[in-house]
């Protein structure tokens, strides 16, 4: 207990020393020490205006957990030409939560800095050197594995409980993508006690299965869909365009098929075999290297730590790799609500829905929704916003969960 109080004292000091309230948009920014003392987390607290909260009433809060290497500005990419997207960090969902009197606590994953906050006023996309210098923290990224990600969720959740005017009995968690893996774990271990858990694009599959599907089958299967339209070949530009929509670099797909200007069904089979071979080789590397090793990307002499070997081991090699997240919630009595878009760029939605259908037989609190024509983050194509009717439905559910 003493060590817990001392650590919370450090957190309080961080809040008092670095908090910088911005009344215009009701956002405060804090730097909070991690449990292991190896990094600081950037935490952003958005509070609803007083007129949106009944007098004398404490405020409910949603703690938002980002996905893989993501930040509180979930879909803001400082390297992309359209970096001005995602106004509230939640594709428009955040402003609706605030309008309904719900506070929001968001944070950057360890070693990353939210897109807008590392721009330093620039009105153009950053180059790679600027990005690594201002938006990335290589030493902190080296410390990331599944347990550190989970510790960080607990740290932010405990911080949210201490905020003035927050109702610690009315707290929910919204996880994006991979974040569901870690939220399910810390909830199942009773390290946090949310009223409900929700996820957008959250995998029901184990990390290993989800990763294997992304690396080995997703693009070949996607491209194969185009052959169903009585087409016998695809040209390079068509391949690149399809891949770009699914967050693959067009050049990666071109490289996959070599110098061919067109591909046929046999080329698809060979490409899939090549991807499976690459995946198998990667597994051997993940297995052989020590946990403290790192995997990096270098451009123009600038090095960026992509991930630690420990993280990759946890994703593909260790016991954690084979755990379906919702299996960890057998003792959780609150609602679990997962939202998918049927145009998801990263998950196989029918397979994940099948898993959820089976889980529902064991846990009546699990529910899911699949929205047509929306992507991994429920975004509309080429608009980078959640449709208003979908956002309203989500906020209505959250409001009900927090009120009952």
């Amino acid at each position: 207990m003493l060590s817990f109080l001392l650590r919370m004292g450090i957190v309080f000091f961080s809040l008092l020393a670095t908090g910088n309230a911005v009344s215009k948009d009701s956002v405060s920014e804090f730097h909070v020490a991690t449990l292991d003392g190896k990094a600081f987390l950037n935490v952003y607290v958005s509070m609803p205006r007083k007129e949106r909260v009944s007098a004398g009433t404490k405020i409910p809060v949603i703690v938002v957990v980002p996905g893989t290497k993501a930040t509180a500005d979930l879909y803001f990419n400082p390297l992309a030409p359209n970096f001005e997207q995602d106004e509230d960090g939640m594709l428009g969902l955040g402003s609706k939560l605030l309008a309904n009197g719900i506070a929001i606590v968001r944070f950057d994953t360890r070693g990353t800095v939210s897109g807008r906050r590392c721009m330093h006023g620039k009105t153009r996309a950053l180059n790679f050197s600027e990005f690594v210098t201002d938006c990335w923290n290589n030493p902190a990224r080296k410390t990331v594995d599944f347990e550190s990600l989970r510790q960080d969720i607990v740290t932010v959740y405990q911080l949210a409980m201490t905020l003035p005017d927050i109702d610690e009995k009315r707290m929910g968690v919204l996880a994006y993508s991979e974040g569901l893996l870690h939220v399910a774990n810390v909830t199942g271990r009773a390290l946090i006690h949310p009223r409900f858990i929700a996820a957008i694009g959250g995998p029901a599959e184990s990390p290993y299965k989800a990763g294997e599907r992304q690396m080995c089958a997703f693009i070949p299967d996607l491209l194969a869909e185009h052959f169903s339209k009585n087409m016998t070949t695809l040209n390079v530009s068509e391949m690149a365009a399809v891949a770009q929509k699914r967050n693959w670099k067009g050049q990666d797909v071109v490289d996959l098929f070599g110098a061919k200007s067109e591909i046929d069904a046999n080329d698809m089979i060979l490409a899939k075999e090549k991807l499976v071979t690459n995946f198998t080789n990667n597994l051997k590397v993940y297995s052989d290297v020590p946990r403290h090793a790192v995997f990096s990307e270098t451009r123009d002499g600038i090095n960026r730590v992509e991930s630690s070997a420990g993280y990759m081991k946890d994703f593909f090699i260790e016991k954690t790799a084979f755990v379906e997240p919702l299996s960890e919630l057998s003792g959780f009595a609150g609602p679990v609500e997962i939202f998918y878009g049927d145009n998801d760029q990263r998950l196989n939605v029918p397979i994940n829905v099948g898993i959820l259908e089976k889980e529902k037989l064991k846990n009546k609190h699990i529910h899911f929704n699949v929205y047509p024509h929306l992507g991994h983050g429920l975004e509309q194509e080429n608009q980078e916003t959640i449709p208003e009717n979908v956002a309203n439905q989500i906020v209505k559910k959250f409001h009900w969960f927090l009120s009952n």
Side-chain angles (χ1 to χ4, degrees):
M1 176 62 73
L2 179 59
S3 63
F4 171 78
L5 291 173
L6 287 173
R7 190 182 68 75
M8 287 307 293
I10 293 171
V11 170
F12 279 128
F13 175 79
S14 298
L15 289 174
L16 293 171
T18 64
N20 181 23
V22 184
S23 59
K24 183 178 180 182
D25 56 8
S26 302
V27 176
S28 299
E29 303 180 16
F30 305 113
H31 302 289
V32 184
T34 59
L35 274 168
D36 58 15
K38 295 179 179 179
F40 281 85
L41 300 174
N42 305 313
V43 183
Y44 311 98
V45 179
S46 299
M47 299 288 283
R49 294 199 294 268
K50 289 183 178 179
E51 58 265 31
R52 291 172 173 168
V53 181
S54 301
T57 302
K58 287 196 170 185
I59 302 169
V61 63
I62 302 291
V63 177
V64 181
V65 177
T68 309
K69 293 185 291 188
T71 72
D73 292 341
L74 286 159
Y75 294 94
F76 183 102
N77 183 353
L79 290 171
N82 61 336
F83 62 81
E84 296 177 281
Q85 64 186 285
D86 193 18
E87 284 303 313
D88 61 5
M90 299 174 67
L91 297 180
L93 183 60
S95 57
K96 290 187 176 296
L97 289 170
L98 291 170
N100 280 268
I102 300 172
I104 306 164
V105 175
R106 300 177 289 138
F107 66 101
D108 304 333
T109 50
R110 185 182 297 214
T112 65
V113 179
S114 282
R116 281 183 294 274
R117 293 167 180 83
C118 64
M119 296 294 292
H120 298 302
K122 294 184 178 68
T123 56
R124 57 167 176 77
L126 301 184
N127 60 44
F128 188 72
S129 176
E130 292 170 325
F131 173 75
V132 174
T133 300
D134 295 329
C135 309
W136 209 252
N137 183 328
N138 277 338
R141 290 303 302 170
K142 292 177 182 179
T143 70
V144 173
D145 59 11
F146 272 27
E147 187 56 29
S148 70
L149 291 171
R150 292 164 180 181
Q151 288 179 4
D152 293 349
I153 293 171
V154 175
T155 295
V156 174
Y157 190 91
Q158 291 178 343
L159 181 152
M161 293 175 64
T162 70
L163 294 171
D165 301 321
I166 289 297
D167 188 347
E168 64 181 74
K169 295 181 180 179
R170 291 195 294 157
M171 296 178 63
V173 176
L174 171 61
Y176 279 78
S177 193
E178 181 191 330
L180 178 60
L181 302 176
H182 310 306
V183 168
N185 177 270
V186 295
T187 304
R189 290 157 61 189
L191 298 177
I192 63 173
H193 301 278
R195 180 77 68 91
F196 73 91
I197 294 171
I200 292 178
E205 289 186 287
S206 68
Y208 180 96
K209 277 295 182 186
E212 179 187 37
R213 204 176 304 284
Q214 285 187 22
M215 293 183 181
C216 295
F218 205 80
I219 286 296
D221 289 352
L222 176 69
L223 294 174
E225 292 175 12
H226 289 249
F227 290 107
S228 66
K229 302 175 182 178
N230 297 319
M231 298 172 62
T232 57
T233 62
L234 282 173
N235 63 40
V236 170
S237 61
E238 288 169 334
M239 288 190 295
V242 171
Q244 203 72 37
K245 287 184 179 180
R246 297 299 176 115
N247 289 334
W248 274 49
K249 296 176 184 176
Q251 187 59 46
D252 288 347
V253 177
V254 173
D255 293 343
L256 183 61
F257 294 101
K260 290 193 173 187
S261 59
E262 289 190 332
I263 61 168
D264 57 23
N266 187 58
D267 292 321
M268 295 297 307
I269 294 171
L270 294 174
K272 198 166 185 176
E273 291 175 351
K274 181 178 178 180
L275 288 171
V276 170
T277 299
N278 290 343
F279 178 70
T280 303
N281 291 339
N282 285 338
L283 289 182
K284 187 175 187 315
V285 173
Y286 302 151
S287 179
D288 290 347
V289 298
R291 288 186 68 89
H292 61 77
V294 296
F295 297 98
S296 300
E297 174 189 16
T298 300
R299 294 191 212 168
D300 301 324
I302 303 296
N303 177 266
R304 176 176 71 147
V305 174
E306 284 283 342
S307 62
S308 71
Y311 172 85
M312 301 309 293
K313 284 175 176 288
D314 291 340
F315 213 105
F316 291 107
I317 305 297
E318 307 289 359
K319 289 181 180 179
T320 51
F322 305 99
V323 177
E324 291 183 352
L326 298 186
S327 69
E328 303 198 81
L329 293 175
S330 57
F332 180 63
V336 178
E337 193 89 21
I338 304 181
F339 306 97
Y340 296 111
D342 71 355
N343 190 35
D344 194 302
Q345 305 95 331
R346 301 182 185 180
L347 293 179
N348 185 309
V349 172
I351 286 176
N352 281 271
V353 165
I355 294 171
L356 291 173
E357 291 281 15
K358 292 179 182 178
E359 286 291 334
K360 282 181 67 174
L361 298 176
K362 297 179 283 185
N363 186 342
K364 65 181 181 179
H365 301 294
I366 293 174
H367 304 279
F368 63 88
N369 302 265
V370 180
Y371 296 102
H373 315 303
L374 302 184
H376 187 57
L378 300 183
E379 73 278 12
Q380 303 173 88
E381 189 174 339
N382 300 322
Q383 294 191 42
E384 305 299 345
T385 57
I386 297 174
E388 186 167 7
N389 65 315
V390 173
N392 287 337
Q393 289 174 28
I394 293 172
V395 172
K396 185 177 180 180
K397 284 179 181 288
F398 289 0
H399 198 278
W400 192 89
F401 293 154
L402 292 168
S403 302
N404 293 277

